[in-house]
Amino acid sequence: MEDSRPLGPLPINRDCNYIAAFLTFACCYRCSYCINSFESRPNRSGRIMPGPEWIAGLSRLKDLDQAAGTVPVTLQGGEPSLHPDFYEIINGLPPRIRIDLLTNLGFDVQEMIDRVDPQRLRRDAPYASIRVSYHPEQMDLTETLDKTHQLLEAGFSIGIWSVLHPDQEEHVRAAQERARREGIDFRLKEFLGFHRGKLHGHYRYPQACSLKETRRVECRTTELLIGPGGDIYRCHHDLYENMPPVGHLLDPAYRMRAGFLPCAAYGRCNPCDVKIKTNRLQQFGHTSVEIRFLDEPVGQAACDELPIAANRG
Ligand code: SF4
Ligand code: SF4
């Protein structure tokens, strides 16, 4: 039966470092190394929450202004602009909620300029609020730079990030040089995933992404991850692999858990959860989850059942 109680505020944990709203897993591209498909392809056709529900749910968020700075809500996907109510969501969220956007720029730039106040996507941070992912195998560099220039000139806070994939390193470094000459902030990201049978990336926990043995552990996260249907997941692995959620954004009773939760899927973690990275203050050494080990390996997954799908998009 539907819970008819008023939604009420949803406080985030004191150590919450990241809030992600995955508006949709739909995407106009099929990058071979898409991290959403590290283990298998996420369901791109599941129910997505309509704009008014996203606005109602995200408006519950409380305690976003923390000692280390404001935690923004990052709209992402897939390509978040493919959500039919993309602009309504941006314009409908209360101004106290700061918005970041991860995008491949697959939207009409002029429509963004016409419909969104650049201040809505701007905050005091050491990196841009609109973070463009440039994927050379799918995107045209000149078009990407042109669109970025248009948004910069309109007053948006925008920069480009690109993965240093082993097969694309030379092109990506040249693209960075060109962007810098043109005055565009272009940063590099470590490639995470398998390439020619080798796992790339720096991870805090050994074998976490091996896709081989699984172990029982306890795990706690510093992130609030909300899937396209409004379900809340304890980690990216659970989100992409359609595991049972830990709550729903529109459940009045949902509260962010601060403690450790048991997990038997260690070994199939998504790189996003266990990579060593910078936090939102650009301090290096942060990892999204903390893991406690409980026992020895409990299962040997059959390797031929585990598609090494990182190199498929
Ligand atoms: S990595 Fe490529 S396929 Fe995956 S969400 Fe980004 S643009 Fe889409
Ligand atoms: S151990 Fe890995 S799969 Fe399990 S909850 Fe933590 S990040 Fe997710």
Side-chain angles (χ1 to χ4, degrees):
M1 200 166 64
E2 209 168 280
D3 195 331
S4 58
R5 285 178 292 172
L7 277 177
L10 174 50
I12 63 167
N13 290 343
R14 286 162 63 100
D15 65 351
C16 180
N17 185 57
Y18 191 69
I19 302 170
F22 293 80
L23 298 188
T24 171
F25 282 138
C27 185
C28 30
Y29 299 129
R30 292 288 184 275
C31 301
S32 58
Y33 51 76
C34 182
I35 203 75
N36 294 10
S37 308
F38 176 70
E39 189 172 348
S40 59
R41 201 186 292 269
N43 184 359
R44 294 186 182 217
S45 57
R47 178 189 182 264
I48 59 170
M49 228 170 28
E53 292 182 18
W54 273 112
I55 294 167
L58 293 174
S59 297
R60 304 176 64 197
L61 295 173
K62 198 182 144 204
D63 300 338
L64 298 173
D65 292 324
Q66 306 219 343
T70 300
V71 185
V73 170
T74 301
L75 306 182
Q76 61 188 83
E79 169 49 38
S81 65
L82 292 179
H83 191 290
D85 301 326
F86 175 62
Y87 292 108
E88 286 77 7
I89 294 169
I90 292 178
N91 290 324
L93 290 175
R96 69 180 179 80
I97 295 185
R98 307 312 301 164
I99 304 170
D100 279 11
L101 175 63
L102 297 189
T103 176
N104 57 34
L105 284 184
F107 54 82
D108 179 341
V109 165
Q110 191 56 52
E111 186 177 12
M112 171 70 97
I113 293 169
D114 291 343
R115 297 185 65 175
V116 175
D117 178 351
Q119 295 306 318
R120 208 55 205 87
L121 290 156
R122 177 177 286 282
R123 65 193 172 88
D124 190 15
Y127 53 89
S129 292
I130 300 180
R131 299 191 286 287
V132 178
S133 295
Y134 169 59
H135 301 291
E137 61 181 42
Q138 303 276 310
M139 295 163 66
D140 180 74
L141 178 60
T142 300
E143 184 188 356
T144 303
L145 293 173
D146 286 350
K147 284 182 161 185
T148 304
H149 279 302
Q150 281 184 64
L151 288 164
L152 275 172
E153 282 158 22
F156 287 90
S157 163
I158 181 169
I160 302 176
W161 274 252
S162 192
V163 169
L164 268 181
H165 187 281
D167 289 342
Q168 298 156 2
E169 193 167 336
E170 197 178 330
H171 171 88
V172 168
R173 290 196 186 279
Q176 183 185 41
E177 274 314 301
R178 178 173 163 191
R180 280 187 176 158
R181 282 197 303 276
E182 296 185 19
I184 290 175
D185 182 9
F186 189 120
R187 304 189 193 189
L188 305 176
K189 289 194 289 192
E190 183 179 42
F191 169 63
L192 305 170
F194 288 94
H195 177 68
R196 294 182 187 151
K198 182 183 169 210
L199 180 65
H200 290 248
H202 288 88
Y203 305 101
R204 180 161 164 197
Y205 300 101
Q207 302 298 314
C209 305
S210 67
L211 298 182
K212 289 180 183 165
E213 290 182 346
T214 53
R215 274 179 89 171
R216 285 205 182 97
V217 298
E218 289 183 333
C219 186
R220 68 183 291 275
T221 185
T222 55
E223 301 189 340
L224 183 63
L225 307 178
I226 311 160
D231 288 313
I232 296 172
Y233 296 88
R234 61 184 178 175
C235 67
H236 288 82
H237 166 271
D238 287 13
L239 168 73
Y240 298 142
E241 299 307 318
N242 213 17
M243 302 297 281
V246 292
H248 194 281
L249 187 62
L250 298 177
D251 177 359
Y254 172 73
R255 288 292 175 273
M256 207 178 161
R257 292 278 296 265
F260 286 83
L261 289 172
C263 174
Y266 176 89
R268 306 173 81 131
C269 306
N270 185 279
C272 291
D273 294 314
V274 291
K275 70 179 178 183
I276 302 171
K277 60 181 180 179
T278 51
N279 63 11
R280 72 179 193 282
L281 306 174
Q282 292 291 283
Q283 295 159 339
F284 188 73
H286 175 75
T287 305
S288 301
V289 302
E290 184 182 350
I291 293 171
R292 290 197 301 222
F293 295 92
L294 298 178
D295 57 15
E296 291 304 308
V298 293
Q300 173 76 46
C303 291
D304 57 3
E305 287 174 13
L306 295 172
I308 306 292
N311 299 324
R312 284 195 253 130

